[in-house]
Amino acid sequence: MRKMRKARIAFLAAVCVIGLVCSLGVFAEGANQVTAQADASIQQGEGGYCYVYLDDLTDLASLTVAVHYDTRVLTVTDSQNQVECQLYDSSNQNGCLQYSYIFDGVGSNEKTQLFYFYYQINENAPLGNTCFDIVVSDAYTAELNSVDIRGSRCNISVSEATVMKSCYAYGTDRVSTSVKEEFEISYFLSDCQLASGAMVLSYNPELFELVELTKGGFLANKLVDVNTSMSGAVYLSFLSTEYGYDTDLLKVKFRTVRNVDADEAISLTVQELYDLDLNQIQGNGHATSIAVSYDEAYTEDSPAVLLSSAYSAETGKVTVAVRLEANSRLGAGDFVLKFDPEKLTYVSGEKGFAPTFFNLNEKNVEGGVLKFSIISMTDLTDALTLLTVTLDAKPSCADEIAAFEISGSGLTDSLTNGILLNFVDSDIIVPPRHIPADAGAENEIGATCTENGHYDSVVYCSVCKAEISREEKSIDKLGHDYKTEWTVDVAPTCTEKGSQSHHCVRCDAKTDVTELPANGHSFGDWYETKAPTCTATGTDGRECAVCHAKETRVTNAKGHTNATAVIENKVDATCTENGHYDSVVYCSVCKAEISREEKSIDKLGHDYKTEWTVDVAPTCTEKGSQSHHCARCDTKTDVTDVDALGHTFGEWFMQDETQHKRVCACGEAELSDHTFDNEADASCNICGATRDVAAETSVEATGSGDPGANTEKSGCGSVVSSGWVLIILMMGAGYAALRKRMI
């Protein structure tokens, strides 16, 4: 690790030397990203994995990825690198998990998993969203060019922990075996209060074969389905409507079928567990480690003489069967069965077939040796049981392993040709076999008048005090014993009957139940509880001195008291209409209305003014009107016409070249032609408008012979140039036109 850090420091130092190049913006093309993938939702106290990926590793020489997280919410407990590289370094502290890599620069262009880590949500973590923030730095190519790699965020929702009951399976932890040997695995459950569930027992069918499956007490009185038809698995499911008391689940016997050195496991998986209320129960299975050892004396593919053993808890006896596999071609042989005489006592041996000769030698059974010999005139080719031996298990206060060994000599076929057989031993666990003491009573529940009692008759071992047996015994019920005196069960009250009976001296039972009459009320004097009003009744009450029950009676209403009538809703009379008002009488106590009568007011008639009122004013051309008005309303009388006023014109003014105009104050206009004294008069006598008048001119020859030297005489005898005369005329005409425009 120290070398790795030195290499990384040297590499980063080189990067710093060329930092100027990076600052000039030399980056690898394309956008790359580091992403994280984790469960989107997780509960308090649960754990999960988060996987960190890089989109593209191509040409990448170095990279540092930091995963920041909130330590108040979760803890990162373990992480594993997943990418091949020259060097990598990792650290995890203060809420930051960091990986630094030095690559070979020839990476995949596909999405690659860099590393993964396991996180645990704190049990008291706040509910809501949290996240893993991915920050990327020190990303360079082999040419020390910076690579643009983006970070990302992975969001996680933390929810409240669900409390779930749990049940776990346990049993045999380890077994040692070899080829042809049988072994047994026992399974138990930590809780018997399961209503339904499923289990799968998995094993390697190339190493083991299923011999026998025995259901334990847990599966008693349950609907059970067991499927052993699948190679390498046993499927079991159960269903019940009530709980039992045993946790003993299964006993499964296997046989080892291959001669190898191997470490295997036989696993029980527990799933889909529910209680009677259909609450799901979390379950876990159990794995048994199987150590298979190689047997050098075992000849592959040769038939075997093998032992199988069993123990009966009911009889306390052990049976050992000596079995011969098929195709052995056995014709003759001497066999020796050995057992431990300190643990077992020989009882009997019974041959399992009818050979030509069979000899059972029991001389040394007290020393744990049983011999038997077989001679058959024909080869034995079928699988059969040669001998079944019965033994008594000696008393013991602990589990004992009873081991059995089988061997043979002089093995030939029926023609005395030598044959080869494998011999497979066996052992069995014999449970404790205690020495019983006298039975004692425990958990006694005495009998009652109506229910039987019971107690446990328990037998313990006189040596180790272990419980050997427990049997529930019954105690007959006692029957009732009633007292002679009466007991008042329910005391009578003022309104309810009571009762009395004879009670049992031992329990709450009673007989001769007799009714007691009610006592009746003891009322006091009446008192007012609600005063009557003008319209509503009142009430009086009284109370029983014993039970405080209340009784009421109704008192009559008082009735109204008339006040002086008042005037309401008055409408005054007019000239032409009568008026009216309501004469109302109220109660002087509660102010309620007692009566209401409408009264009339006579109309007033008109009152005309003496002065005239102009109703319509006359105009220049239209008549008007006037009348006498009523002083109280809009009525009028004596309507009289008022003569038209006639027009009142203003001054005359020029209208155009031929007429002049004047206008009345009402807007009416009057037109008239201009008036002149004569044809030489240039101004209208009425409005002063002007007009053009032609001037008289004479032209005399000057005699000078100059055509342009014409002259004109003026009225004053002066001679005026004809050119000036023309100018004057033109000026006069222009003034006249200007005056007309002004007018």
Side-chain angles (χ1 to χ4, degrees):
M1 187 65 71
R2 184 176 299 170
K3 291 180 179 180
M4 183 183 300
R5 290 194 177 99
K6 287 182 178 180
R8 182 168 179 266
I9 291 170
F11 179 80
L12 294 178
V15 171
C16 292
V17 171
I18 64 166
L20 180 60
V21 177
C22 297
S23 66
L24 294 176
V26 182
F27 295 101
E29 293 185 356
N32 205 348
Q33 188 174 21
V34 175
T35 57
Q37 179 180 333
D39 291 334
S41 179
I42 193 169
Q43 294 184 1
Q44 292 172 323
E46 287 188 342
Y49 287 92
C50 182
Y51 301 89
V52 179
Y53 297 91
L54 176 61
D55 289 344
D56 190 351
L57 269 173
T58 305
D59 297 332
L60 196 60
S62 71
L63 177 68
T64 296
V65 177
V67 180
H68 296 273
Y69 57 92
D70 190 344
T71 56
R72 298 172 302 170
V73 179
L74 57 90
T75 304
V76 173
T77 59
D78 186 29
S79 65
Q80 294 291 330
N81 175 47
Q82 294 294 293
V83 65
E84 293 183 4
C85 59
Q86 293 179 1
L87 292 172
Y88 81 91
D89 190 11
S90 66
S91 64
N92 180 23
Q93 55 185 354
N94 299 326
C96 178
L97 171 64
Q98 181 169 295
Y99 269 79
S100 297
Y101 294 97
I102 296 178
F103 300 103
D104 54 10
V106 186
S108 170
N109 61 357
E110 297 180 353
K111 189 173 184 179
T112 303
Q113 186 183 141
L114 296 177
F115 59 91
Y116 70 87
F117 59 89
Y118 180 80
Y119 61 93
Q120 181 76 32
I121 301 297
N122 301 333
E123 292 185 355
N124 59 348
L127 305 182
N129 292 328
T130 188
C131 64
F132 295 117
D133 280 325
I134 312 299
V135 179
V136 181
S137 61
D138 297 343
Y140 295 97
T141 66
E143 293 77 20
L144 301 181
N145 291 325
S146 177
V147 180
D148 182 17
I149 300 179
R150 302 192 308 274
S152 62
R153 169 171 287 182
C154 178
N155 291 309
I156 302 173
S157 176
V158 178
S159 57
E160 187 173 2
T162 302
V163 178
M164 183 182 294
K165 294 192 295 184
S166 63
C167 175
Y168 61 88
Y170 63 96
T172 306
D173 291 325
R174 186 173 179 82
V175 172
S176 296
T177 183
S178 60
V179 64
K180 298 299 181 180
E181 285 188 355
E182 294 181 358
F183 58 91
E184 189 174 74
I185 301 176
S186 298
Y187 294 103
F188 303 87
L189 293 174
S190 64
D191 190 352
C192 63
Q193 295 192 348
L194 304 175
S196 63
M199 301 173 188
V200 180
L201 183 64
S202 303
Y203 62 92
N204 185 351
E206 295 182 358
L207 274 181
F208 311 111
E209 66 178 0
L210 180 66
V211 176
E212 185 181 23
L213 184 145
T214 304
K215 291 181 286 185
F218 173 81
L219 297 175
N221 300 320
K222 291 180 173 65
L223 181 62
V224 181
D225 179 32
V226 180
N227 182 0
T228 60
S229 62
M230 302 295 290
S231 177
V234 176
Y235 297 92
L236 182 147
S237 60
F238 65 89
L239 178 65
S240 65
T241 57
E242 60 183 18
Y243 297 133
Y245 298 97
D246 293 323
T247 58
D248 177 14
L249 179 62
L250 288 174
K251 287 185 179 179
V252 187
K253 184 179 289 186
F254 291 94
R255 181 183 297 111
T256 307
V257 297
R258 289 187 60 189
N259 190 22
V260 294
D261 273 325
D263 288 322
E264 282 284 333
I266 295 179
S267 300
L268 178 70
T269 302
V270 181
Q271 56 194 12
E272 299 178 9
L273 300 180
Y274 293 90
D275 62 16
L276 288 174
D277 297 323
L278 297 182
N279 296 314
Q280 188 171 9
I281 299 175
Q282 184 176 1
N284 70 315
H286 178 75
T288 302
S289 176
I290 312 296
V292 182
S293 59
Y294 182 78
D295 187 355
E296 294 181 354
Y298 181 79
T299 303
E300 196 71 38
D301 299 330
S302 293
V305 176
L306 47 86
L307 302 179
S308 62
S309 53
Y311 172 74
S312 171
E314 183 178 352
T315 63
K317 297 184 181 297
V318 175
T319 56
V320 180
V322 183
R323 297 187 295 109
L324 178 67
E325 288 188 329
N327 301 318
S328 66
R329 296 188 300 109
L330 177 64
D334 298 320
F335 301 92
V336 178
L337 174 65
K338 293 182 179 181
F339 59 92
D340 187 349
E342 298 295 326
K343 302 175 182 178
L344 302 168
T345 301
Y346 176 78
V347 176
S348 64
E350 182 180 354
K351 64 181 180 180
F353 72 115
T356 305
F357 174 81
F358 186 94
N359 180 52
L360 186 63
N361 184 348
E362 301 175 339
K363 293 180 180 180
N364 297 317
V365 292
E366 291 184 0
V369 178
L370 177 65
K371 297 180 180 181
F372 63 95
S373 300
I374 295 174
I375 298 177
S376 176
M377 299 304 295
T378 59
D379 293 345
L380 301 179
T381 58
D382 294 335
L384 49 85
T385 300
L386 299 179
L387 177 68
T388 301
V389 179
T390 303
L391 304 102
D392 277 333
K394 293 184 177 181
S396 173
C397 295
D399 287 342
E400 298 285 355
I401 299 178
F404 303 95
E405 297 179 3
I406 185 70
S407 61
S409 60
L411 303 177
T412 68
D413 61 13
S414 60
L415 299 178
T416 70
N417 296 312
I419 62 172
L420 181 63
L421 295 177
N422 289 309
F423 289 89
V424 180
D425 300 330
S426 175
D427 58 42
I428 190 172
I429 296 177
V430 180
R433 295 153 321 282
H434 300 287
I435 299 174
D438 293 336
E442 291 183 2
N443 303 325
E444 182 173 353
I445 296 178
T448 66
C449 299
T450 58
E451 299 290 337
N452 291 333
H454 59 84
Y455 65 93
D456 291 343
S457 177
V458 187
V459 178
Y460 289 97
C461 175
S462 61
V463 179
C464 69
K465 310 305 179 185
E467 182 180 311
I468 297 174
S469 66
R470 180 179 294 270
E471 182 182 3
E472 185 178 276
K473 301 288 188 177
S474 179
I475 304 172
D476 292 338
K477 59 186 177 183
L478 304 175
H480 294 299
D481 182 10
Y482 293 107
K483 300 176 184 178
T484 56
E485 63 272 15
W486 291 98
T487 298
V488 176
D489 301 313
V490 179
T493 67
C494 298
T495 58
E496 300 291 335
K497 296 177 181 179
S499 65
Q500 62 183 2
S501 63
H502 291 121
H503 281 214
C504 177
V505 298
R506 286 188 294 268
C507 71
D508 295 333
K510 53 189 176 182
T511 188
D512 304 329
V513 178
T514 304
E515 186 178 273
L516 297 174
N519 297 326
H521 290 300
S522 297
F523 286 111
D525 296 333
W526 290 100
Y527 57 90
E528 186 178 72
T529 58
K530 180 182 177 182
T533 66
C534 297
T535 57
T537 59
T539 57
D540 291 340
R542 62 180 180 174
E543 184 175 316
C544 175
V546 178
C547 69
H548 303 289
K550 291 180 173 56
E551 187 177 55
T552 61
R553 67 182 181 185
V554 177
T555 57
N556 295 328
K558 294 180 178 180
H560 292 300
T561 301
N562 291 354
T564 303
V566 296
I567 295 174
E568 292 182 358
N569 305 324
K570 183 179 180 181
V571 177
D572 292 330
T574 66
C575 297
T576 58
E577 299 290 335
N578 291 333
H580 60 84
Y581 64 91
D582 291 342
S583 176
V584 186
V585 177
Y586 289 97
C587 176
S588 61
V589 178
C590 69
K591 310 305 179 184
E593 181 180 307
I594 298 173
S595 65
R596 181 179 293 270
E597 181 182 4
E598 186 178 273
K599 302 286 186 177
S600 179
I601 303 172
D602 293 339
K603 59 186 177 183
L604 304 175
H606 295 298
D607 180 12
Y608 292 108
K609 301 176 183 178
T610 57
E611 64 271 16
W612 291 98
T613 298
V614 176
D615 301 315
V616 179
T619 66
C620 297
T621 58
E622 299 291 334
K623 293 179 180 181
S625 66
Q626 60 184 1
S627 63
H628 292 120
H629 281 213
C630 179
R632 287 188 293 269
C633 69
D634 295 333
T635 304
K636 53 189 176 182
T637 189
D638 303 329
V639 179
T640 306
D641 288 340
V642 178
D643 293 338
L645 301 176
H647 290 299
T648 304
F649 288 106
E651 295 294 327
W652 290 97
F653 59 89
M654 178 181 177
Q655 173 69 15
D656 52 31
E657 294 179 353
T658 60
Q659 291 183 319
H660 43 247
K661 181 179 180 180
R662 63 179 179 176
V663 180
C664 178
C666 70
E668 183 71 22
E670 184 179 27
L671 296 174
S672 177
D673 293 337
H674 293 305
T675 303
F676 300 98
D677 292 335
N678 51 52
E679 291 180 357
D681 188 1
S683 176
C684 175
N685 295 329
I686 303 300
C687 67
T690 61
R691 64 176 180 173
D692 295 333
V693 179
E696 295 180 3
T697 60
S698 63
V699 178
E700 296 181 2
T702 61
S704 60
D706 184 359
N710 295 329
T711 60
E712 185 177 282
K713 290 181 179 180
S714 70
C716 296
S718 60
V719 180
V720 181
S721 169
S722 61
W724 284 108
V725 172
L726 180 61
I727 291 172
I728 291 172
L729 291 175
M730 291 174 64
M731 289 177 64
Y735 171 76
L738 177 60
R739 179 175 173 80
K740 289 180 179 180
R741 284 195 298 268
M742 291 175 63
I743 292 173

